[in-house]
Amino acid sequence: MVDIIEQTKGCPRCKTTKYLNPSLKLMVNVCGHSLCENCVSLLFSRQSGVCPQCNTALRRNQFRLQHFEDAAIEKDIDIRRRILKDFNKQEDDFDDLREYNDYLEMVETIIYNLVNGINTENTKKQVEAYRRENKELISKNRTKYSRDITELNFLVEQEKVEEVERNQRLAEIEISEKNTKKKSKEALLNELTYSKMPASQVISSHMARIESEKAVKKPVTQFSTGAKLGGGFQTDFMPITQVKEPLYVYEQEEVDFLGPAPPDPEEIETEGFMENVRSATPTSLAGGYTHRLACQRALQEAFSGLFFFPAKFMDAMDFS
């Protein structure tokens, strides 16, 4: 069956979908909204216009073919490519790793703000100020194609190849479905022509057979990359060797504090030990440390060694 995602993929203006027009080509601009080729030609006949969804001023020569199913990804890649063209410092340009990580975090924040329309004007001013201050370094690093740009180009090219393969598979599926329907129609006509049964019975029998064939086929979920789930699985795995061992039984460890037994966690709560203990900070709680645990440890340290007498201990030891 034709992928549902491909069926619903279409132009938001004229509502044409891939299902209605398999040759539909979607275009995307800097604002990240999609339009089909016909709508781009109609709305931007004077080479400029506004996006019908967000009213952003656009130019026709800035439209490009949409490769990803989600237009927001196209917008992210376009902004990321433009920003990384100027923010092209590498780890070697910094004194230590911390400065480089801070720089990467700043770049990601700028990209995120521009993609999501957060504090756009101040972000653009920040980008322009960076360009002025690092003009020479930007020009120097542009001669070296950065690793980030290379990775982005690789992803785009990979998506192009996968889209071509996906379209080929969809075309093969559609041809197969058409041939199946044609054969089914011919079989029905032959049965109606040569069968001695009533026409209604022949038709009902034919429909029942078609439904049973559909039920036998397992539904296959297909990702945009073409990977399938549910279409089949491997059954010839080697058997797993089962090792029978006794189940682990937890035993409470007995600790000799050499002093009075400290209160247990329940007594710490009920006997008022927690009244003057400072509550744990969110950072401590995230690490698994509660204020009760801190109080319990302090009490254990306070009680530990109270019954320890060095003289008696030395007398009991055998130095022979």
Side-chain angles (χ1 to χ4, degrees):
M1 296 179 64
V2 179
D3 193 357
I4 296 177
I5 297 178
E6 289 292 331
Q7 290 183 14
T8 56
K9 186 178 177 181
C11 176
R13 180 179 178 273
C14 64
K15 309 303 181 184
T16 303
T17 62
K18 284 274 189 178
Y19 181 74
L20 298 176
N21 182 12
S23 61
L24 178 70
K25 292 183 179 179
L26 293 176
M27 312 292 287
V28 67
N29 209 311
V30 293
C31 65
H33 295 127
S34 303
L35 286 174
C36 66
E37 282 185 313
N38 294 334
C39 289
V40 170
S41 301
L42 181 64
L43 296 177
F44 295 88
S45 57
R46 298 184 178 180
Q47 304 301 320
S48 63
V50 296
C51 174
Q53 291 185 255
C54 62
N55 292 326
T56 302
L58 304 173
R59 297 190 63 83
R60 183 173 180 175
N61 58 6
Q62 293 178 330
F63 278 95
R64 63 189 183 283
L65 192 64
Q66 179 179 331
H67 299 296
F68 292 89
E69 293 173 359
D70 189 355
I73 300 178
E74 296 281 352
K75 180 180 179 181
D76 184 286
I77 288 181
D78 179 69
I79 293 176
R80 185 174 296 273
R81 182 182 284 111
R82 287 190 286 110
I83 293 299
L84 293 181
K85 188 179 294 184
D86 295 325
F87 289 79
N88 53 12
K89 289 184 179 180
Q90 301 298 317
E91 187 175 352
D92 299 338
D93 299 324
F94 297 88
D95 296 331
D96 53 45
L97 183 61
R98 180 60 183 269
E99 290 185 8
Y100 180 56
N101 289 334
D102 292 341
Y103 167 79
L104 294 179
E105 184 176 356
M106 177 191 69
V107 173
E108 290 300 322
T109 302
I110 291 173
I111 295 173
Y112 180 83
N113 290 344
L114 293 177
V115 170
N116 297 279
I118 301 174
N119 201 12
T120 306
E121 293 300 324
N122 291 336
T123 304
K124 290 181 178 179
K125 292 179 181 179
Q126 181 183 357
V127 172
E128 290 299 326
Y130 176 86
R131 287 172 179 168
R132 290 193 301 269
E133 295 171 1
N134 300 272
K135 186 176 181 180
E136 294 182 2
L137 182 60
I138 291 172
S139 177
K140 177 183 176 182
N141 286 342
R142 276 185 181 178
T143 58
K144 303 180 298 182
Y145 221 59
S146 70
R147 182 176 57 189
D148 296 328
I149 295 295
T150 304
E151 292 178 356
L152 284 175
N153 288 337
F154 173 76
L155 290 175
V156 172
E157 293 300 324
Q158 189 178 27
E159 183 68 16
K160 288 180 181 179
V161 173
E162 291 172 352
E163 185 177 10
V164 172
E165 294 177 352
R166 187 165 58 247
N167 291 336
Q168 290 177 350
R169 286 194 296 270
L170 293 175
E172 292 173 358
I173 292 173
E174 290 179 355
I175 293 173
S176 177
E177 289 179 349
K178 289 180 180 179
N179 292 335
T180 302
K181 290 180 180 179
K182 183 178 179 181
K183 291 179 180 179
S184 177
K185 185 177 179 180
E186 292 176 352
L188 177 59
L189 292 175
N190 291 333
E191 290 181 13
L192 290 173
T193 303
Y194 301 106
S195 177
K196 297 179 180 181
M197 295 187 298
S200 58
Q201 188 175 353
V202 172
I203 294 175
S204 61
S205 175
H206 181 78
M207 296 301 296
R209 186 166 60 253
I210 292 177
E211 292 298 327
S212 63
E213 291 176 356
K214 289 182 179 179
V216 171
K217 293 182 180 179
K218 294 182 180 179
V220 177
T221 302
Q222 188 175 28
F223 290 112
S224 62
T225 57
K228 295 182 179 180
L229 290 179
F233 54 89
Q234 187 175 352
T235 58
D236 57 348
F237 293 109
M238 294 182 64
I240 300 175
T241 304
Q242 295 185 356
V243 180
K244 293 185 178 180
E245 296 179 351
L247 296 177
Y248 173 77
V249 179
Y250 173 74
E251 296 180 359
Q252 181 70 34
E253 183 179 0
E254 295 184 2
V255 181
D256 185 6
F257 290 98
L258 297 177
D264 56 32
E266 289 74 17
E267 292 178 338
I268 292 177
E269 293 285 352
T270 58
E271 299 297 330
F273 289 98
M274 304 293 296
E275 293 180 357
N276 297 314
V277 177
R278 184 178 58 186
S279 299
T281 63
T283 304
S284 299
L285 291 174
Y289 295 96
T290 63
H291 55 294
R292 188 183 69 177
L293 179 60
C295 180
Q296 183 180 8
R297 289 185 175 181
L299 291 171
Q300 289 175 351
E301 292 178 1
F303 288 10
S304 178
L306 291 180
F307 292 167
F308 175 71
F309 300 101
K312 294 182 179 180
F313 178 74
M314 296 292 290
D315 295 340
M317 293 184 64
D318 184 9
F319 294 98
S320 59

